[in-house]
Amino acid sequence: MGDKCSVLELKINVRKEQYHRLDVKFEDARAVYNAVLNEALSNYEQITRTKEYRADQAVVKKYYEDKKNGTVKKMPDEVRAIFDKRKKQFQDAKLTKFGLINIAGYHKNHYAKNVSSIMANKIGEMAWTAMNQLIYGNGKSVKFKKPGEMTSIASDNKSGIRLMVDNGKYYLLLSNQTQKAKPMILSIKQPHNEYELDMITRPIKIVRIIRRKNGNRFNYFVQLTVEGTPPQKLKKDGSRLHQIREGKVGVYIKDDSVYAVADDGRIAHWHFCKNQQKYEEKKADYDRELSKLRQLNNPDNYDENGVIKKGSKKWHYSIKYKKILLQRSYLIHKNTESRNITRYVIANEILAMGNDIYILKKDYRTKKEKFDEDNRKSNEQYRRLKDRRKNIQNFAHADLISKIKSKIDSDNSGAVNEVTVSKDLYYYVHDEDKVNKSRFVDGIIAFKNRTCLEESYRALLIMNYDGKNYNRDMVEKGMSWIC
């Protein structure tokens, strides 16, 4: 089993009188989270606002610039001393994972009947994730949670929230005996197949209650993080629901499209965002309607040109505005779920072609270039860049690869090989055994008596690349599949 874990999600059947108690628990957890984040941020700002810190930061910034330029390789003792000093400062200010857990333990005392010690520990870990990104990552600020924005509470299945079983029936018990809190029993959807029965009987590491907005109220679910990889899903006849074939597959991802070629001659193409345009148009309609209603209901907050005035303002929202806002939220949720399901479908279909996957490794992070008056891009170029960024964001290429890896791990066979191809070999053509960029025209590559899609050709090349050279014979053999 190792350290691998799986997640099983089941719906909670909440009775009418339990909705209010659950909302109170989530809001108390939110209050603890905000209190921890507020104290951590205050401690952090006390350190970063000093003259000493700013002077040290200038030294560190210069070191990273010199390192990027290649003028310095070894970290100077002065910079190392600054990092050691900062580590000590952050530890003293409780700006560590366990420091924030201790802070959460203090603040939970005000909400002890609804937030147990273990639940507070998980909240402290959540706050550390936000602060860690601010301190050591590229985060610029931390976000406090507004009412209704706390979407999960968790425990270790030993206190606070526990999965119980009685006469073969599973249910959740929410209690805090040390505070003499009134326990609450939540009925859950019972496991109804071999897959769910296997998962729910495994050792549980984390039990988490999550809520998702649905109209004017929340739907509640329990997520059980259990030991081991997920079992294979089976059909009624005992055969596997999603077959995994043994064999090689080359995969090439371009923006919102996936191209695959298998060593048995099968080829496939998936266009990920085929319904994205309809979604964008519908979302834009909602945004326009909301903007119009905001202005109608709050005329004093806008100037003559329809621009929002500066300064603090009080906003009024009509019933129609709130109704459209809910419709917009549901549209976003529905689109997110649809994209996630599509990634699972593509992952299953790729594995049905083969379990030895070769994918071109690419960096999908895009940096916005500084505006240059002398090298200004055309409107069409800006539009293409914007569409590409949006497609990459919607597709979530890394999530697709992660799903494929997860399925291969659960099967204990095959591998995902992310192939790195240098820029010099990106436009390689096998019949000339050299790079020839001029052969790639408008997404098509032409050979003597045939043409084929550039993307399918690249997938074939990736499948037959050993990290240094292409196997020309195998590429030529595969040409009959893609052309």
Side-chain angles (χ1 to χ4, degrees):
M1 291 292 184
D3 293 326
K4 295 178 180 177
C5 296
S6 311
V7 177
L8 173 66
E9 180 175 298
L10 298 169
K11 193 175 188 306
I12 299 175
N13 302 314
V14 183
R15 298 196 303 271
K16 185 180 290 186
E17 66 274 13
Q18 292 177 328
Y19 276 104
H20 175 69
R21 289 187 65 188
L22 279 173
D23 287 344
V24 171
K25 278 188 177 292
F26 274 83
E27 287 306 300
D28 285 356
R30 180 185 70 87
V32 174
Y33 175 84
N34 284 345
V36 174
L37 206 58
N38 181 63
E39 185 169 338
L41 188 60
S42 177
N43 293 348
Y44 179 64
E45 289 178 346
Q46 285 180 16
I47 296 173
T48 57
R49 284 179 176 176
T50 61
K51 290 182 179 180
E52 180 186 10
Y53 183 91
R54 291 197 294 270
D56 289 345
Q57 188 65 13
V59 175
V60 172
K61 185 178 179 181
K62 186 178 184 305
Y63 160 68
Y64 279 118
E65 288 176 351
D66 292 342
K67 184 180 179 181
K68 185 178 180 180
N69 296 331
T71 57
V72 63
K73 294 183 179 179
K74 186 179 178 181
M75 183 183 292
D77 292 338
E78 181 186 12
V79 176
R80 193 179 301 277
I82 290 173
F83 287 149
D84 291 339
K85 180 173 64 175
R86 284 190 181 175
K87 183 178 179 181
K88 181 69 167 56
Q89 286 178 319
F90 291 151
Q91 286 177 344
D92 292 342
K94 294 187 176 181
L95 293 174
T96 62
K97 178 180 177 180
F98 294 105
L100 294 198
I101 288 175
N102 287 335
I103 294 174
Y106 167 76
H107 286 290
K108 70 91 182 173
N109 291 328
H110 302 287
Y111 309 93
K113 288 195 174 183
N114 286 317
V115 181
S116 69
S117 296
I118 301 300
M119 289 167 62
N121 291 351
K122 299 298 181 184
I123 292 171
E125 291 176 10
M126 287 174 57
W128 170 244
T129 301
M131 288 302 300
N132 187 45
Q133 189 69 11
L134 176 66
I135 298 171
Y136 300 109
N138 56 3
K140 295 181 180 179
S141 63
V142 292
K143 183 178 181 296
F144 293 90
K145 293 188 181 295
K146 297 177 182 178
E149 287 188 348
M150 193 72 176
T151 57
S152 71
I153 53 176
S155 182
D156 61 355
N157 200 43
K158 296 177 182 178
S159 68
I161 308 171
R162 288 185 291 165
L163 178 71
M164 310 294 286
V165 59
D166 184 20
N167 295 326
K169 295 290 184 180
Y170 291 91
Y171 63 93
L172 290 179
L173 176 63
L174 280 66
S175 65
N176 192 355
Q177 293 180 356
T178 58
Q179 299 297 324
K180 299 181 179 179
K182 184 181 178 182
M184 179 164 57
I185 295 175
L186 294 175
S187 171
I188 65 173
K189 182 182 177 183
Q190 299 300 303
H192 67 286
N193 54 42
E194 292 297 326
Y195 174 85
E196 292 179 352
L197 284 170
D198 183 308
M199 293 278 280
I200 205 168
T201 52
R202 294 183 184 184
I204 297 173
K205 289 182 172 290
I206 300 174
V207 55
R208 187 185 307 275
I209 297 177
I210 63 172
R211 61 180 184 176
R212 301 188 181 110
K213 194 75 174 178
N214 181 21
N216 291 322
R217 62 168 47 184
F218 291 100
N219 286 340
Y220 290 86
F221 303 84
V222 58
Q223 284 185 347
L224 305 174
T225 302
V226 300
E227 291 183 358
T229 56
Q232 295 297 330
K233 292 184 177 180
L234 304 176
K235 297 179 182 178
K236 290 183 179 179
D237 59 4
S239 62
R240 291 176 61 163
L241 180 63
H242 302 295
Q243 296 292 335
I244 298 180
R245 171 185 171 271
E246 290 190 5
K248 292 178 68 174
V249 183
V251 178
Y252 179 73
I253 301 173
K254 183 178 180 182
D255 295 341
D256 61 344
S257 295
V258 183
Y259 300 81
V261 178
D263 59 3
D264 65 346
R266 281 187 284 178
I267 63 172
H269 167 223
W270 299 273
H271 184 64
F272 185 77
C273 298
K274 56 185 178 182
N275 296 321
Q276 192 65 24
Q277 186 62 33
K278 291 182 180 178
Y279 161 75
E280 294 290 349
E281 290 173 357
K282 187 66 176 175
K283 183 171 173 288
D285 290 341
Y286 283 141
D287 289 338
R288 281 191 293 270
E289 188 68 21
L290 290 171
S291 179
K292 187 192 300 182
L293 289 171
R294 272 196 305 271
Q295 193 164 353
L296 286 172
N297 296 323
N298 305 275
D300 295 336
N301 293 345
Y302 293 82
D303 60 22
E304 294 178 356
N305 297 323
V307 179
I308 298 175
K309 296 177 181 178
K310 293 183 179 180
S312 60
K313 294 166 287 294
K314 188 173 182 179
W315 294 88
H316 301 278
Y317 301 110
S318 63
I319 295 175
K320 184 177 180 181
Y321 179 93
K322 293 176 181 178
K323 182 179 178 181
I324 294 174
L325 192 62
L326 286 173
Q327 291 173 342
R328 181 182 179 276
S329 298
Y330 180 69
L331 177 71
I332 294 172
H333 164 72
K334 188 175 169 185
N335 186 57
T336 302
E337 288 295 311
S338 175
R339 294 201 305 264
N340 192 45
I341 291 170
T342 303
R343 283 190 285 271
Y344 272 116
V345 170
I346 294 174
N348 286 328
E349 292 184 0
I350 287 175
L351 290 171
M353 298 172 70
N355 63 350
D356 192 12
I357 314 294
Y358 292 81
I359 299 177
L360 181 63
K361 188 175 182 179
K362 295 172 71 176
D363 187 358
Y364 294 101
R365 292 175 297 181
T366 56
K367 294 182 180 179
K368 288 189 176 181
E369 301 175 6
K370 290 185 178 180
F371 180 75
D372 187 351
E373 183 66 39
D374 297 329
N375 296 303
R376 179 184 293 191
K377 292 181 174 64
S378 66
N379 290 338
E380 179 63 21
Q381 287 174 314
Y382 278 120
R383 187 191 64 78
R384 284 202 299 268
L385 281 173
K386 183 179 177 182
D387 289 345
R388 181 176 182 272
R389 290 192 187 102
K390 191 176 291 185
N391 287 336
I392 290 171
Q393 183 180 11
N394 289 331
F395 194 164
H397 307 75
D399 189 42
L400 172 65
I401 296 171
S402 175
K403 282 178 169 55
I404 296 173
K405 286 181 178 178
S406 176
K407 289 177 179 293
I408 285 178
D409 288 344
S410 66
D411 192 58
N412 295 317
S413 66
V416 175
N417 309 283
E418 294 189 68
V419 180
T420 302
V421 177
S422 64
K423 291 183 179 180
D424 298 335
L425 292 175
Y426 190 70
Y427 290 99
Y428 172 87
V429 284
H430 75 284
D431 58 345
E432 298 181 37
D433 194 23
K434 67 176 185 180
V435 173
N436 189 348
K437 189 175 181 178
S438 63
R439 295 276 296 277
F440 296 82
V441 181
D442 296 331
I444 300 292
I445 180 168
F447 295 89
K448 289 182 180 179
N449 300 317
R450 54 192 173 183
T451 60
C452 62
L453 287 175
E454 171 189 333
E455 293 82 5
S456 296
Y457 182 65
R458 289 195 194 283
L460 180 62
L461 288 176
I462 293 163
M463 185 173 63
N464 297 287
Y465 183 67
D466 61 5
K468 294 182 179 179
N469 301 300
Y470 292 99
N471 187 329
R472 296 176 64 194
D473 294 335
M474 293 302 296
V475 173
E476 182 59 36
K477 178 182 177 181
M479 291 301 294
S480 59
W481 309 333
I482 65 174
C483 295

